[in-house]
Amino acid sequence: MSTTPRTRGTRRSVDELLDEARADLDRLGPTEAAAVRAAGGLLVDIRYAALRDRDGTIPGALIVERNELEWRLDPQCDHRLPEAVHHDLPVVVVCNEGYASSFAAVSLRQLGLDRATDLIGGFQAWRAAGLPVEPPASS
């Protein structure tokens, strides 16, 4: 038995994987993401609690930490959120700076949520654009 890990295909850097993930996404800027929300789509904040506690949240965004995302947004899953009603739902994933959200959006697309995408620049871009932010509860 070999103790050497087996790999498939060519090894790629995280930057290469990110470029590959983003190639199939129609990523949105902050005002475009706000328009999706206004039209009934979902903004899904996957930032961990420490970032939300530090910076606040986007009003009306669903808070779903990254490790639960697929279970909470899969319309076929018993553990889905009530908002995850169908596969054609527009979903904009928001992380802190727009990196992890790209991978998360691709994962949602693999579940059949074909309109999933992410916010370019993440929460920080939203805030910098002057869009509404609810301050942290401890403020």
Side-chain angles (χ1 to χ4, degrees), residues 88-107:
D88 196 39
L89 185 65
V91 176
V92 180
V93 183
V94 180
C95 67
N96 195 48
E97 295 182 344
Y99 295 97
S101 58
S102 295
F103 290 126
V106 167
S107 182

Side-chain angles (χ1 to χ4, degrees), residues 12-25 27 99 102-103 106:
R12 295 173 287 173
S13 71
V14 70
D15 290 330
E16 291 169 321
L17 291 173
L18 188 60
D19 287 344
E20 186 178 302
R22 289 176 171 171
D24 291 331
L25 297 175
R27 302 181 75 219
Y99 295 97
S102 295
F103 290 126
V106 167

Side-chain angles (χ1 to χ4, degrees), residues 115-133:
R115 296 176 70 189
T117 190
D118 73 323
L119 174 59
I120 298 167
F123 178 85
Q124 299 305 324
W126 178 278
R127 182 169 61 181
L131 292 166
V133 172

